[in-house]
């Protein structure tokens, strides 16, 4: 959501404070401009924090245009202050979509266009990972590419035009099946129910957790070779990871880049033998074992150097790749399913459709029919996008799965 009227927001905090990072991230996700004051560097800023908190150094302290102050706010409190919609008009809907990324918003707009009463509940900002991506070059229909934020904003407006109701900064915490409807509770204690639910909660790339990483994501550090590899034509890049995806993505990247240095923390590559052999013998891939990233450094918002360390000898080195690709796994946002009957694979991704049927035996609850293509092991509960086992982790495919799920849900709703 673009909001240029909030330019007067000032966040007072320190660089090491996690709650400060969370508030800044929330404002950033909603594209709300703010001033950042590190009170360890700015005496006047520290003075203001002490004054606003009766002599206590409580951070983040956030001062708004109108002079009002929020101290250590939750995202939900921030959302209310910023006028974002956080509670729904009704308690019951035909369809509730959990997650407002490309899969969820596309499903919602398709469903609403079919006349299905639809609510989207999003825990952060609408747009999901796509909104946080600087530029999308491979979304169909955008010949020159599109900023992730612009794409997400268009998607939100389109969903709004078809009458989708959308909540932001509302985390769905619990999900239950009750007879032939589904019930859920959000972080603010509200309860909602629906005849059908779409799980479009996405996933997140695992991070290395080293200094500098957060600062250069999208500005030199990437998690998707298909998306960002072509930016580094004929240049040297660093790939971090020792499993199949790091090795496969290195083999993909050498089609564009000048050279890949593959950094492997352990003494060997894991994964399929044939892929390992290809990578090890490729003239443009240098594999460095027992080596890990210590920190990322840069200036002007751009990555400039990477400090690496051999974990056997302790030797450190500074290298200067043009870009870094981190492939150390994906974590699906499926923790809310932990105490439900929704089947997930060993990595937490949601299993749907025919993948649920292994030995020809019906899944419990599906004695009369097979689960539909994007239906989970719980009838009426569907999944689409990155959180689903077998999804391809791309905007176009997430949106495609969202559209397909909406049309399947339309058929399902005729039966309940
Ligand atoms: C840095 C980066 C660059 C990328 N570049 C490209 C690219 O160039 N091209 C491309 O095609 N793809 C790219 N991708 C991948 C693409 O963004 C994803 O495949 C796509 O966004 C997946 O869509 P989704 O709707 O399934 O999930 P997401 O986009 O992850 O959206 C899921 C949403 O669900 C919300 N959510 C999760 N749990 C809950 C809960 N309990 N309650 C409420 N809400 C919840 C999350 O906050 C999130 O907003 C990139 C990804 C990243 C991280």
């Amino acid at each position: 959501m673009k909001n240029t009227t909030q330019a007067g927001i000032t966040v007072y905090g320190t660089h090491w404070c996690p709650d400060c990072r969370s508030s800044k991230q929330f404002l950033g996700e909603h594209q709300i401009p703010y001033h950042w004051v590190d009170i360890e560097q700015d005496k006047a800023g520290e003075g203001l924090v002490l004054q606003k908190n009766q002599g206590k150094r409580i951070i983040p302290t956030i001062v708004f245009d109108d002079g009002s102050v929020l101290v250590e706010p939750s995202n939900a409190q921030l959302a209310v202050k910023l006028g974002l919609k956080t509670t729904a008009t009704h308690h019951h809907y035909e369809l509730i979509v959990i997650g407002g990324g490309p899969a969820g918003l596309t499903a919602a707009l398709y469903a609403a266009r079919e006349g299905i009463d639809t609510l989207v509940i999003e825990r952060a900002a609408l747009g999901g990972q796509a909104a946080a991506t600087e530029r999308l070059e491979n979304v169909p229909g955008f010949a020159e590419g599109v900023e992730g934020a612009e794409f997400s904003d268009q998607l939100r407006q389109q969903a709004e035009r078809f009458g989708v109701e959308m909540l932001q900064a509302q985390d769905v915490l619990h999900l239950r099946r009750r007879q032939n409807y589904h019930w859920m509770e959000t972080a603010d204690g509200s309860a909602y129910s629906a005849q059908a639910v779409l799980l479009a909660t996405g996933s997140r790339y695992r991070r290395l957790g080293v200094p500098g990483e957060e600062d250069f994501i999208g500005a030199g550090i990437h998690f998707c070779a298909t998306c960002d590899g072509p930016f580094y034509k004929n240049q040297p890049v660093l790939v971090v990871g020792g499993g199949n995806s790091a090795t496969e993505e290195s083999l993909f990247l050498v089609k564009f880049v000048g050279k890949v240095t593959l950094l492997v923390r352990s003494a060997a590559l894991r994964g399929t033998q044939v892929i390992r052999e290809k990578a090890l013998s490729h003239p443009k891939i240098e594999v460095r074992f027992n080596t890990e990233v210590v920190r990322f450094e840069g200036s002007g918002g751009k990555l400039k150097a990477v400090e690496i360390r051999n974990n056997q000898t302790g030797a450190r080195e500074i290298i200067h790749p043009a870009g870094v690709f981190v492939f150390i796994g994906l974590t699906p946002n499926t923790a809310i399913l932990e105490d439900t009957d929704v089947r997930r694979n060993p990595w937490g991704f949601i299993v749907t459709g025919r993948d649920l049927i292994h030995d020809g035996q019906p899944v419990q609850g599906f004695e009369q029919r097979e689960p539909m293509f994007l239906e989970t092991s719980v009838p009426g509960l569907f999944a689409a996008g990155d959180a689903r086992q077998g999804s391809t982790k791309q905007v176009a495919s997430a949106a495609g799965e969202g559209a397909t799920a909406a049309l399947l849900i339309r058929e399902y709703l005729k039966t309940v």
Side-chain angles (χ1 to χ4, degrees):
M1 192 199 76
K2 281 206 163 69
N3 188 340
T4 45
T5 60
Q6 301 285 348
I9 298 175
T10 307
V11 182
Y12 296 87
T14 61
H15 74 275
W16 44 260
C17 141
D19 289 344
C20 304
R21 272 204 296 277
S22 156
S23 291
K24 288 200 292 177
Q25 183 171 342
F26 184 83
L27 293 169
E29 279 169 351
H30 288 85
Q31 295 169 57
I32 295 170
Y34 62 90
H35 303 292
W36 164 241
V37 177
D38 185 335
I39 63 165
E40 289 184 330
Q41 310 293 328
D42 185 314
K43 281 282 151 218
E46 185 181 24
L48 183 134
V49 169
L50 294 171
Q51 182 229 325
K52 297 282 181 199
N53 296 297
Q54 289 76 46
K56 294 190 188 129
R57 212 166 172 268
I58 312 176
I59 47 171
T61 292
I62 306 180
V63 180
F64 294 84
D65 264 2
D66 58 5
S68 61
V69 178
L70 282 180
V71 179
E72 282 188 303
S74 65
N75 282 352
Q77 286 170 313
L78 261 178
V80 170
K81 174 71 196 164
L82 296 165
L84 305 178
K85 185 170 160 61
T86 57
T87 49
T89 320
H90 310 291
H91 286 291
H92 186 80
Y93 291 79
E94 283 177 284
L95 168 64
I96 294 182
V97 177
I98 308 178
L105 289 180
T106 308
L109 77 89
Y110 261 71
R113 202 158 172 262
E114 294 286 333
I116 297 168
D117 186 23
T118 305
L119 172 72
V120 173
I121 307 182
E122 165 56 53
R123 73 174 170 202
L126 293 165
Q129 296 169 69
T133 304
E134 204 168 295
R135 200 159 182 84
L136 298 162
E137 297 288 353
N138 56 355
V139 177
F142 295 93
E144 301 301 323
V146 58
E147 278 181 23
E150 169 63 18
F151 172 76
S152 304
D153 204 42
Q154 289 286 333
L155 209 48
R156 176 188 64 77
Q157 286 184 39
Q158 198 176 6
E160 230 163 44
R161 182 159 70 86
F162 292 121
V164 175
E165 198 177 334
M166 289 174 269
L167 307 184
Q168 296 180 72
Q170 274 309 346
D171 216 329
V172 174
L173 298 183
H174 306 288
L175 184 62
R176 295 278 174 282
R177 182 160 194 232
R178 293 207 172 143
Q179 285 127 9
N180 60 347
Y181 69 91
H182 306 272
W183 171 94
M184 67 196 72
E185 190 182 20
T186 52
D188 69 346
S190 304
Y192 300 104
S193 59
Q195 276 131 284
V197 168
L198 176 66
L199 297 159
T201 50
S203 62
R204 53 196 189 282
Y205 290 98
R206 277 203 205 118
R207 309 230 165 137
L208 292 163
V210 301
E213 185 178 31
E214 295 291 324
D215 301 335
F216 301 109
I217 288 175
I221 301 178
H222 308 274
F223 300 89
C224 173
T226 319
C227 316
D228 301 314
F231 290 129
Y232 295 99
K233 221 166 177 220
N234 300 325
Q235 298 181 65
V237 301
L238 181 71
V239 171
V240 185
N244 255 347
S245 64
T247 319
E248 279 179 20
E249 300 291 7
S250 297
L251 288 164
F252 172 78
L253 280 165
V254 286
K255 292 180 188 157
F256 314 95
V257 305
K259 180 192 170 185
V260 167
T261 303
L262 177 57
L263 225 59
V264 184
R265 196 170 54 171
S266 59
L269 284 171
R270 298 184 311 279
T272 324
Q273 189 180 352
V274 57
I275 296 169
R276 285 188 326 232
E277 282 169 2
K278 264 192 190 168
L280 287 167
S281 61
H282 199 289
K284 280 166 75 178
I285 299 178
E286 178 196 358
V287 186
R288 297 186 64 167
F289 293 107
N290 299 315
T291 312
E292 37 194 276
V293 174
V294 178
R295 65 172 67 243
F296 295 104
E297 286 170 8
S299 58
K302 186 86 189 86
L303 178 74
K304 294 274 164 38
V306 185
E307 184 176 346
I308 59 174
R309 183 180 75 95
N310 183 305
N311 56 31
Q312 299 299 299
T313 64
R316 290 179 183 233
E317 191 183 330
I318 304 278
I319 57 171
H320 300 276
V324 178
F325 289 82
V326 181
F327 299 115
I328 54 172
L330 263 180
T331 309
N333 301 319
T334 56
I336 52 165
L337 304 177
E338 247 146 45
D339 53 354
T340 69
D341 293 331
V342 177
R343 198 179 295 169
R344 294 179 297 158
N345 73 12
W347 297 273
F349 291 90
I350 304 165
V351 183
T352 54
R354 287 204 64 82
D355 286 351
L356 291 164
I357 303 163
H358 286 299
D359 43 13
Q361 296 298 312
V363 184
Q364 204 186 352
F366 287 98
E367 288 76 17
Q368 308 303 321
R369 65 173 176 91
E370 281 191 2
M372 294 184 202
F373 167 44
L374 296 175
E375 198 170 18
T376 70
S377 52
V378 174
L381 207 56
F382 292 75
D386 276 19
R388 195 181 72 81
Q389 168 178 284
S391 60
T392 52
K393 293 19 174 208
Q394 293 287 290
V395 169
S397 43
E401 287 193 13
T404 308
L407 299 178
L408 294 174
I409 288 166
R410 178 190 64 186
E411 296 311 304
Y412 172 79
L413 287 173
K414 290 178 188 164
T415 68
V416 285

